[in-house]
Amino acid sequence: MHKVIYDTDPGVDDAMALLFLHRHPLIDLLGITTVFGNASVETTTRNALFLKREWGIPCPVARGAGVTFDPSRQERPWPTFVHGDNGLGGIDVPEVIDLPLDPRPAYRFIIDTVRANPGEVTLVAVGRMTNLALALKHDPEIATLVKDVVIMGGNFYVPGNVSPVAEANIHGDPEAADVVMTAAWKVVVVGLDVTAVTIMSRSYLADMAKVGGKDVQLLNDLSQSYIDFYKHAVEDGMMVHDSCACVYVVAPELFSIVTGPVRVVCGGIADGQTIVKPDGMRFPPGDWDDLPSQIVCTGIESEKVIDLISDTILRRV
């Protein structure tokens, strides 16, 4: 069993990833921590509670960061054109969900859970890395106690999606991402190099909904405007960014990788760019020296990943 804390900003593709984690037989979902990004933290937390209620997810939800790791950064408008005004594709979501939140802030929930399960917890972070950076700030030793960190974010050999060089999650809080990438724990970076070529078509998702009952129908409903958004990039489908990171936890053999220290550009026209110095390549002394070697995903068996997502959500695994 993989003990997982899911750090998320629901978010449409976040919702699919959450249902995957909830239903995979090898995942023990210890908690959901929320962060701002696809919407305000108030909205993403409400959405997490809504999905917890609708899908019968038993783990706690802890509210996380609502501003960047460096609070002087100016927030940009929420990407409502991607995830809808309410973060879940414009479906009907109550303003208030009558479920309790964990009383701890997300970073404290992460610290406490990791310390209670030393060497066993995988942090799956699919939004901005702010909560993880705050956890390291308040308790640096947890880097030695976490099993691994799997993030959806970044781009290395392909263009970005919010600037020519930057991916949205990293671009939203570059300072936090650089803290996470350079900490003394194992990070797996599942970025646009692999997620942008992993597409679930509208018809494939609709076929899932036909046999998956009301839970999968809800997933199908909240995904429709997201699929509409992607018409500029793919043919009647959506990139399943966050689910790819979750698949890595249980099926890393479906990915090809390079390893090396990773840095994040903070500021300037390349703000949010992720850069790996591949192990074995020699350069003059620089800002990648003496940092931990991380794992960067560069290839993916997309069809097998899509089928594993479907089989898991439909409980065929």
Side-chain angles (χ1 to χ4, degrees), residues 73 155 163-167 170-171 174 263-275:
R73 272 191 172 266
N155 55 295
S163 84
V165 297
E167 178 277 330
I170 307 300
H171 187 258
R263 296 302 309 268
V264 179
V265 178
C266 298
I269 63 171
D271 198 27
Q273 182 178 14
T274 47
I275 307 171

Side-chain angles (χ1 to χ4, degrees), residues 28 30 35 60 62 66-68 79 89 108 111 114 124 137 162 169 171 205 209 215 219 227 233 283 290 295 300:
D28 179 10
L30 301 181
V35 69
V67 296
T68 49
R108 177 53 58 185
I111 292 168
V114 167
V124 177
K137 177 182 177 180
V162 292
N169 288 338
H171 187 258
L205 181 57
D215 290 352
L219 179 63
I227 293 172
F283 297 95
D290 303 317
I295 294 172
I300 188 170

Side-chain angles (χ1 to χ4, degrees), residues 12-177:
V12 173
D13 55 326
D14 309 69
M16 179 181 289
L18 175 59
L19 191 55
F20 176 91
L21 292 173
H22 173 51
R23 292 193 165 180
H24 197 283
L26 296 182
I27 297 291
D28 179 10
L29 188 57
L30 301 181
I32 301 165
T33 52
T34 64
V35 69
F36 73 119
N38 289 327
S40 69
V41 72
E42 292 80 12
T43 298
T44 61
T45 303
R46 185 274 313 269
N47 291 349
L49 289 172
F50 172 73
L51 297 172
K52 169 185 165 77
R53 186 188 75 180
E54 295 301 299
W55 289 337
I57 300 173
C59 71
V61 175
R63 173 174 159 163
V67 296
T68 49
F69 188 64
D70 175 358
S72 67
R73 272 191 172 266
Q74 185 173 357
E75 183 53 62
R76 301 171 182 87
W78 310 122
T80 55
F81 58 95
V82 182
H83 293 271
D85 289 336
N86 67 356
L88 287 179
I91 66 164
D92 186 21
V93 180
E95 286 297 318
V96 178
I97 307 299
D98 189 21
L99 288 178
L101 280 172
D102 190 280
R104 294 163 290 184
Y107 76 84
R108 177 53 58 185
F109 179 90
I110 292 169
I111 292 168
D112 292 348
T113 306
V114 167
R115 285 199 166 274
N117 302 271
E120 297 182 355
V121 176
T122 295
L123 304 178
V124 177
V126 298
R128 303 181 188 196
M129 307 298 141
T130 318
N131 290 332
L132 276 62
L134 288 170
L136 288 167
K137 177 182 177 180
H138 285 88
D139 189 353
E141 189 180 350
I142 67 162
T144 66
L145 302 175
V146 168
K147 180 182 178 183
D148 52 11
V149 180
V150 181
I151 72 168
M152 188 281 125
N155 55 295
F156 295 86
Y157 304 111
V158 300
N161 60 2
V162 292
S163 84
V165 297
E167 178 277 330
N169 288 338
I170 307 300
H171 187 258
D173 197 342
E175 286 80 9

